[in-house]
Amino acid sequence: MTASGAGDVLRIGNASGFYGDRFDAVREMLTDGPLDVLTGDYLAELTMLILGRDRLKDPSLGYAKTFLKQLEESLGLAHERGVKIVANAGGLNPAGLADAVRALAERVGVPVKVAHVEGDDLLGRGWGPQVLTANAYLGGAGIAACLRAGADVVVTGRVTDAALVTGPAAAHFGWGPDDLDALAGAVVAGHVLECGTQATGGNYAFFAGHDARVLRRPGFPLAEIHADGTSVITKHEGTGGLVDVGTVTAQLLYETGGARYAGPDVTARLDTVRLEQQGPDRVRISGVRGEAPPPTLKVGLNRIGGWRNEVVFVLTGLDIEAKAQLVRDQLEDAFGKHRPAEVRWELARTERPDGDTEERASAYLRLVVRDSDPDKVGRAVSGAAIELALGSYPGFHVTAPPGKGAPYGVFDAEHVDAASVPHIAVLPDGRRCEIPPAALPADTEPFDPAADPAGEPAADPATEPAAALPEPLPDGPRRAAPLGLVAGARSGDKGGDANVGVWARTDDAWRWLAHELTVDRFRALLPETADLTVVRHVLPRLRALNFTVEGILGEGVAAQARFDPQGKALGEWLRSRYMDIPEVLL
């Protein structure tokens, strides 16, 4: 693989953080500045379920169709500029997508070599009749093999998000599986890039401190990667958004946990990461150390969990609690012997006294039901709700007509021996190249606590290096204020768990945060977590704490077990809570 960048720098950009991200990003990244490789991350736990349902309807599908449409207008641009394209848009059918890309290239007259990576699909291993998808998280070695064989476009199935960066970097710099520090540096860069504009000011806790015009349309990120694995995170000059230590820190904490970030290529030590602002919109990542990867691979399983329905009642004006209780009692009576297996009510008191619009005078009562029998969540619920329209609380109405219910998904994770998973690079000439698991030196021990090889570290602090806390901030006057005045946060989902990363922007704020935001204080601030297992990880070099909250999302995003089913706003809820904060920090 030959790079068009200067010297020994490989410029890898990102144009998609999820299936449905900004359509124009592929073209913009190709035209707004120089690149060597353009990546796209289209897969997530929920996406695999969506693609599984697509495949049930049409076995020739199962890939991200948007990717093809983006290539239709951009494949020629990439070829003219010598930019390689690497994307996991193949989903459940990377071979089918590769064929579709070849057909597209022929139709538009662009002579590109297409390769793909497969072997991750383990559906035939007897997981059970309800399982729709079963995919192992592969590393970047298959991508590297395709690029070394001259591929211009590489599409994959389920690889780790960071593999989209480790693969091209290994191909370009000639890294082998024993180049652990370099690979770990690429994993960290890949994790920063994988969610697109979250690294360039999107979803950023301190957005209010920046010009709104800058953040209105953030540019997508890119990494300038060096032969030793160090990198600079930046974006094309003149594009919107910003790149600073805060935006990079936020993304590093997103959907991670503790010091060890385990993956099939390498275990990256997040407690060794050093971030340095090199200039406007340039953050250098250095110092990353790598350890051996685990001997197992994560397998993500999506299955149909049952049927779900939802009704949202609008309660306006006076007597909100009494209105809510009346309709609850009426519905419970109506269910009778056909009560769904799970019935959940949530009252959101959004109304304001003396509201100056009807909506601002209203609260919402949400009913969610689940059952394995579709009839129990269908007409039995929607009919019962609508039949109350003229015989319930004053002002009765709902936000939308109740439906017949819909199936919901459940995500589970298993682990299998890495050697049992076929990792196949299908090269541009059709040859099939089997990629062995990382062959490490004999004296290298793989890191294998209860780690998640998809890039999720173990939740057991006993497996992590001890992290020294800073000296406490001296005592002084304090006052009650929102935590978010002195700390940023970002949160997200991994199956049924959520993580909440919290970081301080100054050394003094870190001295206070590290001692004050304990697990007990975290549970007190977020009462939903009071009865759940919460694990705190300390990352001093990032001035950060990362909390893993086990089970708060039930059986995963597709199950929609709670308001905010992906836990995206848990961090912002935490930042809104009041603590006694030293006045010197305020």
Side-chain angles (χ1 to χ4, degrees), residues 264-346:
D265 294 314
V266 65
T267 297
R269 287 283 296 269
L270 298 184
D271 58 342
T272 63
V273 176
R274 292 187 179 277
L275 303 180
E276 176 189 358
Q277 192 78 40
Q278 271 203 335
D281 295 320
R282 293 180 63 82
V283 173
R284 184 172 185 264
I285 300 176
S286 64
V288 187
R289 301 299 304 273
E291 298 175 348
T296 58
L297 297 181
K298 174 184 175 180
V299 181
L301 306 176
N302 280 290
R303 60 182 171 85
I304 298 298
W307 293 77
R308 178 186 185 278
N309 206 349
E310 176 178 309
V311 184
V312 180
F313 301 90
V314 182
L315 315 172
T316 303
L318 306 178
D319 306 318
I320 296 296
E321 296 281 352
K323 289 172 178 173
Q325 190 61 54
L326 174 59
V327 75
R328 286 185 62 166
D329 292 342
Q330 290 176 313
L331 259 294
E332 292 286 356
D333 288 345
F335 290 151
K337 296 180 180 179
H338 301 288
R339 190 178 195 273
E342 181 182 344
V343 178
R344 299 184 63 175
W345 296 91
E346 182 74 24

Side-chain angles (χ1 to χ4, degrees), residues 211-277:
D211 187 338
R213 292 171 296 180
V214 171
L215 297 180
R216 189 171 298 162
R217 187 179 173 86
F220 276 68
L222 63 93
E224 299 173 352
I225 299 182
H226 296 259
D228 61 357
T230 60
S231 64
V232 172
I233 305 299
T234 183
K235 62 185 184 67
H236 285 321
E237 188 175 352
T239 59
L242 71 142
V243 179
D244 65 15
V245 169
T247 66
V248 173
T249 299
Q251 181 56 26
L252 275 178
L253 296 174
Y254 181 66
E255 296 181 349
T256 60
R260 288 186 165 104
Y261 189 67
D265 294 314
V266 65
T267 297
R269 287 283 296 269
L270 298 184
D271 58 342
T272 63
V273 176
R274 292 187 179 277
L275 303 180
E276 176 189 358
Q277 192 78 40

